[in-house]
Amino acid sequence: MIVNDLYMKRACEIAFSRIGRTSPNPAVGAVIVKDGSIIGEGGTGACGCDHAEVTAIKDARARGCDTAGAEIFVSLEPCSHYGKTPPCTEAIINCGIRKVYTPLLDPNPIVSGSGIKKLVSAGIEVNIMHDHFRAASELIRNFKKYILRGQPFIINKCAITLDGKIASSSGDSKWISNEYTRLLVHKLRSKVDAVIIGSNTLMMDNPMLNVRIGDFNDDIKSVLTATSGMINGKDNFFLAELLKAEINDYNDPLRVLVGMPSDMLINCNFLRDDNYIIITNEKEFESATAANKNLRSFSDKLNIVKGQFSSHEESVHFAMDVLKKNGVMTALLEGGGTLNGSFFNVGAIDQFMYVVAPKVLGSGISPIRGRESEHMSDSLTLRDVSTVLIGDNLLFNGYKEEYNFEMM
């Protein structure tokens, strides 16, 4: 790998490290190089804070380095418009950087291509690193859907037995997967803005839905890291980084409950703090509170969003709007078969990450209870599929849509 490739790889690694902390902006990484040495690095800050290029420029200045005549490697085309922050193209031009390297156009229509044009018109040389197009694209799949369709990117995560069950007939699911893939799930949670569950999952599991990377020892982490070079099928930079990266900077995701069970308890883990939303409708709310007097007594203190919907599918559309209004760009769907089926029926699931364990139940609950299909041709064929063996579990990762980013 030539030196410039190493710099762009580093920019993509920085971008990955910022995923989950930048929504609704894309996670971008930038590396500034001068005289063959890195003099500044930076990633996108939280919404309203500095973008990657500005963070890297400030880092160079903090190191006492002069950026005049330097080169910058950015995982996404620099923005060219005024939003909550000034354009990154302006910062690049004003600090004297003479060369810009990027692999990917910004999918945002108000930016796409204009950032490069502004840099070129200012006399800055722009180099397109096509070999890093795929890696950079994987890092902004979520942003592309959010900015072009106005909807959050939904990842459906499940652990299933070899015969395709997520739980026994009684609802017991602990544990289908091994400790290595459970660590992977917590790393994945650190990269999303929200985790979605339904009423059955809430009542059966009383889940925390937080990030608990610290619960796993170094031996488990090292085994997971070692699998990053064993991915089969489509190369996937996001997946490889998820397997190997050490993740220390994260927030717990927003907890989202779709549905309102009548036997919800005030001391359940879901309600332990204010970082949650309950999505329901008036009929379901009245039914639950009528059946549970204790629930009625504290219902006015809950973070409830009521919608006008009368079917599971309509509840998904409403939930997607609620998520967007709350700044959620990526959400992890950890529901049971019914909720997963509702999201699947309306085509809302973008990425499927399924862990297959060498266990056979013979009966139990399926991961997706969608509408009845009579023909195999009705099935969804996933794209850009990758697999990796993690201990005795097989991780399967695929997408509803294949790459469709504009390549320069």
Side-chain angles (χ1 to χ4, degrees):
M1 183 178 286
I2 63 174
V3 174
N4 283 359
D5 289 323
L6 292 175
Y7 296 144
M8 183 54 72
K9 182 175 182 291
R10 176 58 186 154
C12 288
E13 289 171 347
I14 295 171
F16 173 84
S17 74
R18 297 303 302 158
I19 293 176
R21 304 303 305 275
T22 68
S23 298
N25 293 329
V28 181
V31 175
I32 300 175
V33 177
K34 188 173 183 179
D35 298 328
S37 298
I38 294 176
I39 64 170
E41 294 184 339
T44 309
C47 184
C49 298
D50 291 334
H51 290 188
E53 298 91 328
V54 174
T55 304
I57 291 168
K58 288 183 176 180
D59 181 48
R61 289 172 177 165
R63 300 186 193 192
C65 298
D66 182 6
T67 56
E71 305 172 333
I72 189 169
F73 294 76
V74 191
S75 63
L76 183 66
E77 174 188 14
C79 68
S80 55
H81 66 292
Y82 281 88
K84 291 188 176 181
T85 60
C88 292
T89 50
E90 186 177 285
I92 291 171
I93 293 167
N94 291 340
C95 79
I97 287 175
R98 65 182 178 86
K99 287 185 181 180
V100 173
Y101 296 82
T102 187
L104 188 65
L105 285 178
D106 191 326
N108 188 343
I110 66 175
V111 177
S112 190
S114 65
I116 289 174
K117 289 178 182 177
K118 285 192 176 182
L119 293 171
V120 171
S121 65
I124 294 175
E125 180 183 329
V126 177
N127 298 273
I128 311 304
M129 300 187 71
H130 295 293
D131 289 347
H132 295 267
F133 168 79
R134 176 178 290 174
S137 297
E138 285 292 352
L139 299 174
I140 62 161
R141 279 183 184 264
N142 54 355
F143 174 69
K144 185 185 178 187
K145 181 187 180 185
Y146 188 87
I147 199 67
L148 295 183
R149 303 182 190 176
Q151 295 181 333
F153 187 88
I154 305 296
I155 305 171
N156 183 209
K157 182 278 299 180
C158 285
I160 63 174
T161 60
L162 193 59
D163 54 340
K165 306 301 179 183
I166 59 171
S168 68
S169 299
S170 68
D172 178 39
S173 62
K174 290 184 172 55
W175 292 101
I176 292 176
S177 59
N178 63 30
E179 54 195 356
Y180 311 113
T181 52
R182 291 201 292 275
L183 169 58
L184 181 66
V185 169
H186 285 281
K187 295 176 78 172
L188 180 60
R189 283 182 183 171
S190 76
K191 295 300 176 183
V192 303
D193 306 305
V195 177
I196 309 169
I197 62 169
S199 297
N200 290 338
T201 300
L202 176 72
M203 301 314 300
M204 286 298 303
D205 299 342
N206 189 25
M208 293 291 291
L209 305 179
N210 60 351
V211 181
R212 302 191 299 277
I213 295 173
D215 287 359
F216 299 86
N217 62 42
D218 290 340
D219 290 340
I220 296 173
K221 292 177 181 178
S222 64
V223 169
L224 188 63
T225 297
T227 65
S228 64
M230 304 176 186
I231 297 175
N232 296 304
K234 210 71 159 176
D235 288 338
N236 189 311
F237 187 84
F238 174 85
L239 180 57
E241 288 297 305
L242 190 65
L243 290 166
K244 72 180 181 182
E246 183 175 343
I247 299 175
N248 298 308
D249 183 19
Y250 55 83
N251 292 325
D252 282 334
L254 176 71
R255 304 184 297 279
V256 179
L257 173 65
V258 180
M260 190 169 184
S262 61
D263 45 356
M264 177 184 287
L265 302 175
I266 189 64
N267 62 349
C268 70
N269 290 326
F270 187 87
L271 300 176
R272 66 184 181 275
D273 56 36
D274 286 334
N275 188 36
Y276 73 89
I277 295 175
I278 299 172
I279 297 173
T280 185
N281 60 20
E282 191 64 41
K283 182 179 179 180
E284 186 178 47
F285 174 80
E286 289 299 330
S287 176
T289 53
N292 185 339
K293 292 182 180 180
N294 288 329
L295 179 61
R296 178 175 289 278
S297 68
F298 65 78
S299 61
D300 61 334
K301 299 180 177 65
L302 301 179
N303 302 333
I304 298 175
V305 182
K306 297 177 188 176
Q308 299 298 320
F309 52 82
S310 57
S311 69
H312 291 304
E313 285 73 18
E314 289 176 355
S315 72
V316 172
H317 291 301
F318 181 75
M320 295 286 276
D321 289 339
V322 171
L323 291 174
K324 185 185 178 185
K325 289 176 183 177
N326 280 271
V328 172
M329 185 163 65
T330 310
L332 187 59
L333 178 60
E334 295 195 31
T338 300
L339 184 64
N340 291 347
S342 298
F343 273 78
F344 180 79
N345 286 345
V346 300
I349 302 176
D350 302 288
Q351 181 177 356
F352 296 78
M353 291 188 72
Y354 279 31
V355 172
V356 184
K359 299 177 181 180
V360 180
L361 266 172
S363 65
I365 300 172
S366 298
I368 295 180
R369 292 176 175 172
R371 63 174 65 96
E372 293 296 325
S373 299
E374 296 184 1
H375 306 287
M376 189 56 65
S377 59
D378 296 330
S379 61
L380 172 65
T381 300
L382 299 185
R383 312 293 182 181
D384 296 333
V385 172
S386 306
T387 62
V388 58
L389 190 62
I390 306 174
D392 62 355
N393 286 189
L394 180 67
L395 173 66
F396 182 100
N397 182 75
Y399 301 87
K400 183 176 71 173
E401 299 175 359
E402 61 187 350
Y403 284 111
N404 188 24
F405 294 90
E406 185 172 356
M407 195 169 184
M408 294 176 285

